[in-house]
Amino acid sequence: QKEVEQDPGPLSVPEGAIVSLNCTYSNSAFQYFMWYRQYSRKGPELLMYTYSSGNKEDGRFTAQVDKSSKYISLFIRDSQPSDSATYLCAMINQAGTALIFGKGTTLSVSS
Amino acid sequence: NAGVTQTPKFQVLKTGQSMTLQCAQDMNHNSMYWYRQDPGMGLRLIYYSASEGTTDKGEVPNGYNVSRLNKREFSLRLESAAPSQTSVYFCASSEPSQPQYFGPGTRLLVL
């Protein structure tokens, strides 16, 4: 089983839709969880950062962590064409020395 | 405040040639990282430097060497490029166990 699993999509939604992006992970020791957004031909950009379980909201974005299920989610409300990108989940490894990434979900929001 | 910068942006090499990818950060971070990103494989860690003066292998170190020149700069060297090293290379920096911040990437094509 891979350490981090993420559905690659692609996911296509109309403008204004609520988007749900998800990752599962296998190592219960992970404590720090991130979501990155990557536009085509650009570097990953940190979007959300959460520690342990719970929710964190930032504008139209909400990150959710359920450690009991080893499941993390990113919700995007009122999605915009500018949200079209690849979204990568990531977790800090046990040693704190590196990020373990999901392979990314490609999102397309049409106007 | 430029964040993480990488040079060059794009490079074409012939098999067997060598080159050095340069990375610099101005966020005073202790840790720096080199990743490669390939279609279907996601981001994979090549080498990292937890602090100035130290370097360690990541998931895919074969064929690469690194130098942590000072706190700001971390270079990646390909001694004898192979077509399998065709990829997009990203440098990142962070404080230990904190989210990483990525550069814009170097696209490398090895013929």
Side-chain angles (χ1 to χ4, degrees):
Chain A
Q1 182 186 8
K2 291 191 173 74
E3 283 199 285
V4 180
E5 301 264 15
Q6 184 176 10
D7 186 339
L11 183 60
S12 295
V13 301
E15 184 175 356
I18 296 174
V19 176
S20 172
L21 304 165
N22 310 294
C23 285
T24 58
Y25 62 95
S26 57
N27 191 333
S28 58
F30 290 156
Q31 299 268 35
Y32 299 90
F33 306 91
M34 281 137 281
W35 286 95
Y36 286 84
R37 178 175 61 195
Q38 186 175 23
Y39 291 115
S40 181
R41 305 178 82 84
K42 301 288 187 185
E45 169 196 9
L46 181 67
L47 201 56
M48 299 288 281
Y49 169 51
T50 53
Y51 170 71
S52 196
S53 283
N55 291 359
K56 183 174 183 179
E57 189 173 319
D58 184 1
R60 295 184 296 110
F61 298 91
T62 299
Q64 197 170 76
V65 175
D66 181 351
K67 289 196 72 182
S68 61
S69 302
K70 301 198 198 75
Y71 191 86
I72 68 170
S73 300
L74 178 71
F75 297 97
I76 307 175
R77 290 184 298 283
D78 188 24
S79 55
Q80 302 295 308
S82 58
D83 295 328
S84 298
T86 296
Y87 290 81
L88 301 152
C89 63
M91 291 139 210
I92 296 177
N93 68 358
Q94 275 185 271
T97 53
L99 292 180
I100 301 170
F101 284 90
K103 291 188 178 174
T105 300
T106 301
L107 171 68
S108 176
V109 182
S110 56
S111 56
Chain B
N1 190 343
V4 179
T5 57
Q6 293 182 237
T7 56
K9 286 187 170 55
F10 180 71
Q11 184 73 43
V12 180
L13 290 178
K14 294 181 180 174
T15 297
Q17 287 185 318
S18 63
M19 80 163 293
T20 299
L21 284 66
Q22 306 284 357
C23 174
Q25 53 96 5
D26 63 4
M27 294 175 281
N28 203 35
H29 286 158
N30 282 292
S31 302
M32 297 185 74
Y33 312 83
W34 277 105
Y35 291 88
R36 58 179 290 174
Q37 187 175 39
D38 303 289
M41 301 296 291
L43 279 156
R44 293 181 292 169
L45 183 65
I46 304 170
Y47 270 94
Y48 67 96
S49 171
S51 60
E52 191 178 350
T54 69
T55 60
D56 285 288
K57 295 178 181 179
E59 182 185 353
V60 289
N62 290 347
Y64 305 96
N65 285 301
V66 290
S67 295
R68 182 76 182 266
L69 304 168
N70 48 55
K71 191 172 185 180
R72 287 188 65 244
E73 298 173 290
F74 189 37
S75 63
L76 178 72
R77 182 158 179 85
L78 287 69
E79 290 292 351
S80 179
S84 61
Q85 294 178 305
T86 292
S87 189
V88 183
Y89 291 86
F90 289 103
C91 178
S93 72
S94 75
E95 285 302 294
S97 297
Q98 293 295 306
Q100 295 176 15
Y101 295 88
F102 285 80
T106 294
R107 306 183 83 82
L108 177 64
L109 175 62
V110 183
L111 301 174

